[in-house]
Amino acid sequence: MEHFVGDAIDGGDAVWNAVPDSVFDLRSSLLAWYDLNRRDLPWRHTDDPYAIWVSEIMLQQTRVAAVIERYEIFVRNFPNVESLANASEEDVLTLWSGLGYYRRARMLHKAAKVVVRDHFGKMPHTAAGLRELPGIGAYTSAAIASIAFGEAVAVVDGNVERVVQRLAGWGSDSRAGQSKLIRETEKLANTLLDPDRPGDFNQSMMELGATVCLPSSPKCLTCPISRFCKTRGEHPAPKRARMRSQDAAYALVIRNSEASCETGGEVLLDQRDDDETVMPGMWELPALRDMDVAAADVSLALRHSIMQVNYYVRIRRVFEDDAEALTVPSERRRWIALNQFARIPLTGLTRKVLLRAKLLELKPDLQVLESDTVSMR
């Protein structure tokens, strides 16, 4: 049975407006906590709207730890919007490889071209203007506008939504019920927003949701604004969709011919079609015709998650002469030298397999792309 909490929703933000001292105290308490406890993240050391934009796109649906590894490499290669706009899509995807959700990278690249072409290389300064760019929605536009330009507009991501609803004592365990709360949640978030430090306040709300006001087992005893909270614990929320399981099997085909000895060898890879709905143009291992790989032939087994699917993957080492007979045919197949892996966009699964097979090194200081490939200004 649906559990819905929100009887006071019609006047939820009016309650806060009636006691402005409470709002002021909440802002002060939260910002003081943030100033002392915020994580030291590289994008918090800049007010460059371009760098903030890149970080916000990377952080969507991705763990902060994974983003840190890629963010500095990305902005070192593409230090400004012009260099990103002038880059090839393949180079952009190469440096995005490992973050997943590659459509984000393509839209970021497309938006950079729009900024250079239509805005003389200057990003719009308002959330409304930023939303006109490809791939930038309400959340991302508010984050960039408030952090980089000081616009008093609230960011409402999953973390902020949870914090605000717990403060107000709202919640629903059905998706329909939750959608009814969204507008009021956004209104209350804007009521709570500190107009003098909107960027810091938005980041403090996101930080609180990420480190204290957790989805399960929130740390209420250490929460800096627990005295303002009507929930003080978990609130009704829709359950996450169940993960599905799916089997997959790929061939790892390596050759070490005289021609490839200087490159450390070569691996056979297939490039996904450009019209694929998932990861178009990315490079991956050839799929085996038969997914039922005998235990004796499995050289590596691993689990890999993409969105709501857990893939249970078996890797079989295949000799070059057997590759055609054992793998699904591909018209976009190539031998790739080991020393070129850092320059092509690999799927996350392929990168994981190559790392496990010790054919690829994961280096946080991945070299900068050649200057003739990327325009550095």
Side-chain angles (χ1 to χ4, degrees):
M1 184 170 67
E2 179 183 354
H3 182 195
F4 186 90
V5 178
D7 293 337
I9 194 168
D10 292 336
D13 57 339
V15 172
W16 289 95
N17 286 328
V19 282
D21 287 347
S22 296
V23 175
F24 179 82
D25 289 345
L26 182 148
R27 293 169 180 166
S28 300
S29 299
L30 185 57
L31 284 168
W33 170 83
Y34 177 70
D35 289 339
L36 290 173
N37 296 280
R38 62 183 172 185
R39 289 169 292 180
D40 185 18
L41 303 174
W43 46 87
R44 288 180 174 166
H45 296 283
T46 180
D47 57 3
D48 178 6
Y50 165 75
I52 293 167
W53 173 31
V54 171
S55 72
E56 290 297 336
I57 298 296
M58 285 188 169
L59 286 164
Q60 293 172 12
Q61 299 175 295
T62 308
R63 293 179 298 107
V64 168
V67 171
I68 292 173
E69 294 175 353
R70 311 306 300 177
Y71 168 81
E72 291 180 317
I73 298 169
F74 195 91
V75 296
R76 192 189 322 148
N77 281 276
F78 309 128
N80 50 47
V81 70
E82 290 89 355
S83 59
L84 178 58
N86 292 333
S88 70
E89 182 177 279
E90 184 177 51
D91 283 343
V92 174
L93 292 177
T94 296
L95 293 182
W96 198 273
S97 184
L99 285 175
Y101 299 97
Y102 294 96
R103 184 177 181 276
R104 296 176 301 166
R106 289 186 169 89
M107 297 303 284
L108 179 68
H109 190 210
K110 183 178 180 180
K113 293 178 181 293
V114 172
V115 170
V116 170
R117 185 188 67 229
D118 298 344
H119 299 276
F120 306 101
K122 302 293 184 183
M123 293 184 64
H125 287 203
T126 66
L130 288 162
R131 278 197 299 275
E132 298 297 317
L133 297 177
I136 296 185
Y139 155 73
T140 306
S141 63
I144 300 168
S146 63
I147 297 169
F149 301 115
E151 183 178 359
V153 56
V155 170
V156 183
D157 67 351
N159 285 324
V160 175
E161 181 181 295
R162 184 170 59 255
V163 171
V164 170
Q165 290 187 7
R166 285 176 176 172
L167 281 169
W170 300 338
S172 174
D173 58 10
S174 78
R175 298 195 180 280
Q178 187 64 26
S179 66
K180 294 177 183 177
L181 294 171
I182 295 301
R183 185 175 179 183
E184 295 301 324
T185 300
E186 291 173 349
K187 286 172 61 179
L188 182 50
N190 277 286
T191 296
L192 300 177
L193 180 70
D194 189 323
D196 295 324
R197 295 178 60 185
D200 285 343
F201 188 85
N202 279 329
Q203 290 184 89
S204 70
M205 290 284 279
M206 291 187 282
E207 188 85 345
L208 189 74
T211 61
V212 176
C213 195
L214 304 172
S216 60
S217 302
K219 304 174 183 177
C220 299
L221 292 178
T222 60
C223 177
I225 56 174
S226 62
R227 66 184 184 277
F228 304 100
C229 184
K230 293 184 178 180
T231 303
R232 297 192 186 182
E234 297 179 25
H235 71 310
K239 292 182 179 179
R240 294 182 61 180
R242 276 191 171 186
M243 297 290 289
R244 294 186 292 110
S245 297
Q246 188 169 323
D247 291 329
Y250 295 90
L252 180 58
V253 191
I254 305 171
R255 72 178 182 184
N256 292 283
S257 62
E258 283 188 28
S260 66
C261 62
E262 291 185 3
T263 65
E266 297 174 320
V267 174
L268 193 63
L269 296 179
D270 292 344
Q271 188 176 32
R272 295 175 65 84
D273 290 338
D274 292 331
D275 58 359
E276 291 274 3
T277 56
V278 179
M279 297 179 287
M282 307 291 285
W283 291 87
E284 63 184 353
L285 296 172
L288 287 167
R289 292 177 186 266
D290 186 1
M291 288 197 299
D292 189 15
V293 183
D297 293 328
V298 176
S299 59
L300 180 64
L302 67 157
R303 188 185 74 172
H304 185 70
S305 299
I306 301 178
M307 292 181 280
Q308 296 300 317
V309 183
N310 277 325
Y311 291 92
Y312 292 88
V313 184
R314 290 177 291 278
I315 303 298
R316 177 178 178 177
R317 286 290 294 268
V318 172
F319 291 110
E320 179 182 352
D321 293 342
D322 297 328
E324 185 175 347
L326 294 176
T327 63
V328 176
S330 170
E331 295 181 357
R332 308 180 74 177
R333 180 166 290 178
R334 240 175 68 193
W335 288 100
I336 306 293
L338 292 175
N339 65 0
Q340 292 300 308
F341 282 163
R343 299 182 179 279
I344 65 170
L346 301 170
T347 66
L349 173 59
T350 301
R351 176 178 291 274
K352 186 181 292 187
V353 170
L354 295 175
L355 283 167
R356 297 274 183 92
K358 301 190 184 303
L359 296 172
L360 178 68
E361 292 184 19
L362 185 61
K363 297 181 178 179
D365 59 342
L366 187 69
Q367 67 183 48
V368 174
L369 295 170
E370 296 296 334
S371 58
D372 61 351
T373 306
V374 178
S375 172
M376 309 286 281
R377 298 187 184 182

